[in-house]
Amino acid sequence: MGTSVSVQQSALAVDPGSSVSTELRIRNTGDVVDQFAFQPLGDAAAWITVDPPVVRLFPATDQVVIVTIAPPRVSTSRPGISNWAVKAIPAEDPAGAAVAEGTVDVGQFFEIGAELQPVTGRARLTGRFELAIDNRGNVDVPVRLTGTDAEQTLGFDFDPVQVDSQPGAAHFAKIRIKPATKIWRGQPKNHPFQVVVEPQVRADAGAGTPASVAAPIVVPGNLLQEPIIPKWLLKAVLLAIALLLALFILWKTLLKPTVESAAREIAVEEVSAVEEQVAELVPAVEEAAQQAEQAQEDAAGAEEAAAEAAAGGGGGGGGGGFGSVLNETSAPSNFRLVAEAAAGASGSVSGTANPANTTFALTDLIMQNPSGDVGRIRVKLNGETVLESALENFRDLDFHFVSPYVVAPNQAISIEVDCAAEQIVAGDPCSAAVSFAGFTTTITETPAEGG
């Protein structure tokens, strides 16, 4: 049994958003009828499709399949040379698989967007705006920022003036716009302006750089300049002056004489009433003073008696013991568990995350399936399943918990793998691992002072 493959063209070139295809010829060199499946490999594996995905061949026969590479038009489709490969796997003889290899040159594409916030700003002296620059292409594009207006009456201040935009990233620049002249009074004035985002062609961009990358992006905006002294301010000042003048005249002519007369009469009445109350309280005050003197004498006697008792007798003993003060020490901790199982069987492995007197807070875990096995994996804390996933869904899968799983002292953490019989390579065993990370906290009790 065996397999042979040959590719029509191994060196390919394609732009993101487009596709390129080549023919792959597969031949059954074995002596039985066999079925062949195809597995994409290499840096460009995520972009590869094979049509048809499965072929069935008689001995000593061959068939052509189409291998298509289509990188998406997104910033993660990095430009340059990437390796690709397609592995033809026979169902009857997986060990006789064959691999066809090649390279694909992914092209560059440039896509810059810009947005001004707010589009129309209001200000008396200086307007403040923010420009968002979004690089949707797959290469770095430095851009320079400038501003202009038709009347040449605005001053522009950019922070920063130049932005080195990265693929798939958004960058922000602050803009301060100041009119050349001030409006003290009168009507507001509109100042239309334009912010120019000018991409700079890099020195290492090469001759194939599209001319569109150098085309500037013009973002329109408007500054509504308002007068420094608003219309209502003068009216408000005049109204306040008139109100104060009216209140002053009212106080001097009506309120002040009436208040003084009424205050004089009330003061005479209140003084007379206070004098009568003071005369009534004199005997009670004298009696209270005598009682206070007697209380001071009694308190002095009690202090002397307490001092004598303290000098003559010993203090009562207090019980010792442990208090409720806890001494807590936290430290980072991590470990890794690997579980293996034969095809069609199950396997598990467990470990103790923390010894006695420690608590383990599980904050992060990474599930690893490096061989692309098929089956299921379960993570258990003290025998209870807390996470389960199919192996074919991932090669590396990480979880970060906002609220950690807390493992009590001496409780076990384990992983369990069910290996499916239908592996990509029949009969291969499953090998999966989980890395755990978190913090261990040591809790000890300290003796309390006797009381």
Side-chain angles (χ1 to χ4, degrees):
M1 298 183 183
T3 308
S4 67
V5 293
S6 62
V7 65
Q8 180 188 36
Q9 184 178 0
S10 60
L12 305 174
V14 65
D15 290 329
S18 301
S19 64
V20 63
S21 300
T22 185
E23 293 183 355
L24 176 69
R25 184 175 296 276
I26 178 171
R27 183 174 181 83
N28 183 359
T29 59
D31 53 5
V32 296
V33 178
D34 209 340
Q35 179 173 288
F36 298 84
F38 302 96
Q39 181 182 6
L41 302 172
D43 300 334
W47 307 334
I48 296 175
T49 58
V50 181
D51 185 29
V54 177
V55 297
R56 186 176 180 88
L57 295 176
F58 287 94
T61 61
D62 55 31
Q63 183 175 335
V64 173
V65 297
I66 303 300
V67 177
T68 301
I69 303 178
R73 188 179 174 84
V74 294
S75 59
T76 54
S77 297
R78 298 301 186 188
I81 302 296
S82 296
N83 296 320
W84 66 269
V86 174
K87 183 177 183 181
I89 306 172
E92 298 296 332
D93 182 19
V99 178
E101 299 178 331
T103 61
V104 58
D105 186 2
V106 180
Q108 300 178 352
F109 76 97
F110 302 86
E111 187 175 342
I112 297 292
E115 182 179 1
L116 185 67
Q117 290 292 337
V119 177
T120 298
R122 304 170 68 95
R124 290 184 171 86
L125 298 176
T126 303
R128 288 173 171 80
F129 299 81
E130 187 175 60
L131 183 68
I133 303 166
D134 190 9
N135 185 352
R136 307 185 188 96
N138 64 351
V139 291
D140 301 348
V141 180
V143 296
R144 183 173 180 84
L145 307 179
T146 57
T148 182
D149 65 294
E151 298 179 355
Q152 300 294 312
T153 58
L154 299 178
F156 296 85
D157 181 19
F158 294 89
D159 183 21
V161 176
Q162 182 160 323
V163 177
D164 189 8
S165 64
Q166 303 298 314
H171 305 269
F172 298 90
K174 297 185 181 299
I175 308 173
R176 299 174 74 248
I177 302 178
K178 186 176 182 179
T181 59
K182 299 180 179 65
I183 302 177
W184 291 98
R185 294 178 58 190
Q187 297 295 325
K189 182 179 180 181
N190 283 302
H191 294 278
F193 64 88
Q194 294 177 333
V195 175
V196 181
V197 181
E198 185 177 0
Q200 307 293 303
V201 178
R202 297 172 60 96
D204 58 352
T209 303
S212 59
V213 70
I217 302 172
V218 179
V219 183
N222 183 62
L223 174 64
L224 180 61
Q225 184 182 8
E226 298 179 330
I228 297 176
I229 300 176
K231 296 180 180 180
W232 52 265
L233 183 59
L234 181 60
K235 296 179 180 179
V237 171
L238 294 177
L239 181 60
I241 293 174
L243 181 60
L244 291 176
L245 183 60
L247 291 175
F248 178 77
I249 295 174
L250 182 63
W251 170 258
K252 298 294 288 184
T253 57
L254 296 177
L255 297 179
K256 185 177 180 181
T258 304
V259 170
E260 291 178 349
S261 176
R264 191 178 298 109
E265 294 176 358
I266 293 173
V268 171
E269 293 178 356
E270 291 183 351
V271 169
S272 300
V274 170
E275 290 178 349
E276 293 177 357
Q277 293 176 0
V278 170
E280 295 176 355
L281 293 175
V282 169
V285 172
E286 293 176 352
E287 183 178 357
Q290 295 176 359
Q291 292 177 355
E293 292 178 359
Q294 184 62 37
Q296 290 179 354
E297 295 176 358
D298 295 342
E303 290 179 359
E304 293 178 0
E308 293 175 358
F322 288 91
S324 59
V325 179
L326 297 179
N327 179 22
E328 300 188 1
T329 304
S330 298
S333 179
N334 60 80
F335 59 96
R336 186 172 183 262
L337 297 178
V338 180
E340 296 183 351
S346 298
S348 65
V349 64
S350 64
T352 301
N354 46 334
N357 296 329
T358 62
T359 297
F360 178 67
L362 174 60
T363 61
D364 304 87
L365 64 81
I366 303 176
M367 304 173 70
Q368 302 147 28
N369 179 21
S371 300
D373 296 322
V374 179
R376 300 194 72 80
I377 184 170
R378 288 177 287 277
V379 178
K380 296 186 176 182
L381 299 184
N382 201 33
E384 181 179 349
T385 300
V386 297
L387 186 62
E388 182 174 359
S389 179
L391 290 174
E392 57 269 24
N393 288 347
F394 66 91
R395 289 295 181 94
D396 292 292
L397 182 61
D398 57 337
F399 294 91
H400 310 282
F401 307 117
V402 177
S403 298
Y405 286 98
V406 178
V407 185
N410 294 321
Q411 288 188 344
I413 295 180
S414 62
I415 62 174
E416 182 177 284
V417 173
D418 295 338
C419 187
E422 305 84 12
Q423 295 296 311
I424 293 178
V425 178
D428 274 8
C430 294
S431 178
V434 180
S435 296
F436 301 87
F439 293 86
T440 56
T441 303
T442 303
I443 303 177
T444 58
E445 293 184 337
T446 57
E449 296 181 358

